[in-house]
Amino acid sequence: MKTSQTIAELATALMGFQQQMTTLKKDSQGYGYKYISFDAVTDAIRAPLAAVGLAYTQIPTIPPVEFTGHIALTTRLMHISGEWIEDTMIMPI
């Protein structure tokens, strides 16, 4: 995980976001199990994130050469202060 030099304001905002969130119900089924759809998650988090000054981006990235045959997705959580945290998930194709 990577972060901006400080994350104090982001951490406070994240606590506020978590207080606003409720448990989401699984609304989809496939591959032998039930799950919460990406649309349901994004619909549920959009307003609570904005209320505390948070936003996120997800960008496809190229994984390191030792992960040939994989894809990568970098997610960054940003606060209005300019603070951020990010991490990259590497997955086989």
Side-chain angles (χ1 to χ4, degrees):
M1 178 173 40
K2 298 176 185 175
T3 71
S4 55
Q5 286 188 338
T6 63
I7 60 166
E9 290 185 59
L10 183 146
T12 300
L14 190 53
M15 289 174 47
F17 166 75
Q18 290 176 345
Q19 289 173 344
Q20 291 183 43
M21 284 302 299
T22 59
T23 301
L24 301 178
K25 292 186 171 46
K26 295 177 182 176
D27 64 347
S28 298
Q29 187 169 343
Y31 308 102
Y33 60 92
K34 292 182 180 182
Y35 59 94
I36 302 167
S37 68
F38 183 74
D39 288 342
V41 172
T42 56
D43 287 347
I45 67 173
R46 188 173 290 116
L49 283 173
V52 295
L54 292 172
Y56 70 94
T57 60
Q58 291 189 303
I59 302 169
T61 55
I62 298 171
V65 68
E66 63 266 23
F67 289 99
T68 300
H70 289 67
I71 57 173
L73 181 69
T74 299
T75 302
R76 180 176 278 204
L77 180 65
M78 303 164 288
H79 185 255
I80 196 168
S81 67
E83 295 177 342
W84 55 271
I85 58 174
E86 78 173 24
D87 208 351
T88 300
M89 181 177 11
I90 299 172
M91 303 157 282
I93 297 177

